[in-house]
Amino acid sequence: MRLNYSDMVIDAEHFQESIQKPNTPKTECFDVIVVGGGNAAMCAALSARHTGASVLVLEAATEHMRGGNTRHTRNIRCSHAAADKFFSGPYSEEEHLQDLIVVTGGPANIQLAKLAIRESSKLPGWMSAHGVDWQQPLNGTLHLGRTNRWFLGGGKALLNTYYRAAARMGIIVRYNASVEDLIIENDRFEAVKVKVENIEEIVRGGAVIVACGGYEANIEWLKRHWGNAANNFIIRGTPYNDGRVLAALLKHGAKPIGDPKGFHAIAVDARSPRFDGGIVTRLDAVPFGIVVNNQAKRFYDEGEEIWPKRYAIWGGLIARQPGQIAFSIVDSKTIGKFLPPMFKPYQADSLEALAPMLGLDPNAFVSTLMEYNHAAAANKEMRIECLDGASTHRNHSAQKQLGSYD
């Protein structure tokens, strides 16, 4: 869920005033309190500290588990005008915006989206100035070398770099610190209620920055929008994103914007842990074969676009299928073309033998695969890094049966 910045408790107009003239006692009082411990939180904390503010970071997780979903990431997407050592080509603001629109269905605040995209070009320089190192893009199916920049060592290394910078700058970090509520008086932020090992305390501050994620780990909240389907969701990210502070913001009048069912969700292995499986549970096989649901039917065009522009929609697509499960089927020609899955794939010498291993009806499964193979028989070569013009070809009546997923 996204919030309208103008209605949040962060009051940019009075930010400097609150730093210079805090209206709360100096006992256990900070100029800026940052709720959360991931990338957004640490960037906010570092930026606030650069102004001379005293900063407290409250991280609900343990030190070992700090950082939220940032622990499971490895790159940033940002606009840039030309190739360099770490980008293979240019990525314009216009293309960046169109990619965002296609994947999300359109941002709730287009002007804010344009601002974020425009400012994204400054990210590599800012991150480097705070100690972040970069690496060449990884090989594999995503082909993100043109649009994304990869930080050396992945998400944990990024977090360690930011936390070291925070320590050098005098930023205080508290772990196992769960923010239970915000105290707002006369429409101004005053303090946070924090619980540490079942002991509650009040921490006062001149301003608060809420950067503690959404509610994707709160299954009961997800069920309000997804129904019982949420019982089958696999949350590859942190189990600490329970939406507690988001609920507090809404209680205090923050304005929700956008679709509460919207999320960044990718295809993950159904054998993954329920929470915190991380990046290694993602499956990149989708554009190299076909995907069927538990009725052995295709439900979307696997090759609609190049994979970097579509991988983030597949979690939502699967969430809308019966049982919230799907099966990616590839053959011997493509099995080595993508990053290998964490769990060993099921393998058989025939479609008839593979179907029962997946719990699928053999007749329906073989029919779907044979129909597709026949329609794609003219394709002799495949280029996964671009739209190569290859597609299925059928006569009119058969094409109508196949639908738009070809």
Side-chain angles (χ1 to χ4, degrees):
M1 181 177 288
R2 291 163 288 190
L3 296 171
N4 186 340
Y5 288 173
S6 65
D7 289 293
M8 292 182 68
V9 294
I10 305 169
D11 190 343
E13 181 180 351
H14 299 101
F15 180 74
Q16 289 296 332
E17 175 188 342
S18 67
I19 290 175
Q20 297 166 7
K21 298 179 181 179
N23 55 2
T24 53
K26 277 295 181 182
T27 56
E28 192 62 3
C29 179
F30 295 84
D31 296 326
V32 178
I33 298 174
V34 178
V35 183
N39 175 67
M42 296 311 295
C43 289
L46 293 169
S47 297
R49 184 62 180 146
H50 278 303
T51 70
S54 60
V55 180
L56 170 67
V57 173
L58 298 173
E59 165 62 283
T62 63
E63 182 173 1
H64 174 69
M65 294 286 286
R66 70 186 181 189
N69 290 336
T70 301
R71 297 184 303 116
H72 301 311
T73 190
R74 54 191 182 183
N75 57 66
I76 59 169
R77 179 176 294 238
C78 53
S79 305
H80 49 276
D84 62 13
K85 184 178 179 181
F86 301 107
F87 286 126
S88 62
Y91 189 45
S92 69
E93 294 178 13
E94 292 76 15
E95 183 182 2
H96 195 165
L97 179 61
Q98 287 306 309
D99 288 344
L100 178 65
I101 290 173
V102 170
V103 171
T104 65
N109 187 326
I110 190 68
Q111 296 306 318
L112 184 61
K114 289 179 178 179
L115 172 64
I117 288 172
R118 183 169 65 251
E119 294 296 308
S120 71
S121 62
K122 302 176 183 177
L123 285 176
W126 190 93
M127 294 171 70
S128 295
H130 289 84
V132 177
D133 293 317
W134 306 93
Q135 66 183 42
Q136 297 293 324
L138 299 176
N139 292 325
T141 182
L142 285 182
H143 300 286
L144 288 170
R146 184 176 67 85
T147 60
N148 289 36
R149 195 177 186 97
W150 302 69
F151 31 86
L152 183 64
K156 284 193 175 182
L158 176 72
L159 286 166
N160 291 341
T161 299
Y162 283 157
Y163 276 92
R164 284 194 295 268
R168 290 194 302 269
M169 296 171 65
I171 295 171
I172 297 175
V173 179
R174 292 184 185 172
Y175 299 104
N176 301 299
S178 174
V179 173
E180 303 294 302
D181 200 359
L182 307 174
I183 297 176
I184 299 175
E185 299 175 358
N186 299 320
D187 295 327
R188 291 182 64 87
F189 167 76
E190 295 291 341
V192 294
K193 292 182 179 180
V194 185
K195 180 182 289 186
V196 180
E197 297 181 353
N198 293 322
I199 299 176
E200 286 194 354
E201 60 178 295
I202 302 297
V203 181
R204 295 188 171 275
V208 66
I209 298 173
V210 176
C212 52
Y215 59 91
E216 67 270 21
N218 188 329
I219 302 302
E220 291 305 312
W221 194 338
L222 290 174
K223 287 171 69 173
R224 299 177 197 171
H225 308 291
W226 287 93
N228 290 331
N231 289 326
N232 296 322
F233 288 1
I234 291 175
I235 314 303
R236 74 164 180 165
T238 176
Y240 290 94
N241 281 4
D242 59 10
R244 189 169 308 187
V245 183
L246 176 59
L249 285 170
L250 295 173
K251 180 185 72 173
H252 288 293
K255 180 181 178 181
I257 285 182
D259 183 359
K261 293 179 68 173
F263 49 35
H264 175 103
I266 47 83
V268 299
D269 199 302
R271 298 165 290 184
S272 304
R274 183 66 187 276
F275 296 98
D276 218 40
I279 194 73
V280 295
T281 64
R282 190 188 68 205
L283 295 181
D284 291 335
V286 170
F288 290 89
I290 73 170
V291 178
V292 299
N293 60 22
N294 64 8
Q295 299 172 354
K297 299 297 183 182
R298 292 175 69 211
F299 54 90
Y300 200 78
D301 180 1
E302 303 88 351
E304 180 185 33
E305 250 288 5
I306 59 174
W307 194 225
K309 297 178 183 290
R310 288 294 181 273
Y311 77 97
I313 72 172
W314 275 86
L317 293 171
I318 295 169
R320 292 172 173 85
Q321 296 305 303
Q324 293 67 57
I325 193 167
F327 303 88
S328 178
I329 314 300
V330 299
D331 59 18
S332 59
K333 296 189 298 296
T334 57
I335 189 65
K337 300 289 187 181
F338 49 87
L339 292 173
M342 182 177 182
F343 300 95
K344 184 178 180 180
Y346 294 98
Q347 184 174 348
D349 294 329
S350 68
L351 298 176
E352 292 83 356
L354 182 61
M357 297 172 67
L358 306 179
L360 300 176
D361 177 76
N363 292 330
F365 180 67
V366 172
S367 175
T368 296
L369 270 291
M370 294 301 292
E371 181 183 26
Y372 179 85
N373 287 340
H374 179 74
N379 300 330
K380 302 300 181 183
E381 296 183 4
M382 178 182 65
R383 296 183 61 193
I384 198 65
E385 76 279 5
C386 65
L387 293 176
D388 55 12
S391 64
T392 54
H393 299 277
R394 300 297 302 274
N395 61 43
H396 179 71
S397 60
Q399 184 79 19
K400 189 173 182 179
Q401 289 181 356
L402 194 59
S404 61
Y405 313 127
D406 60 340

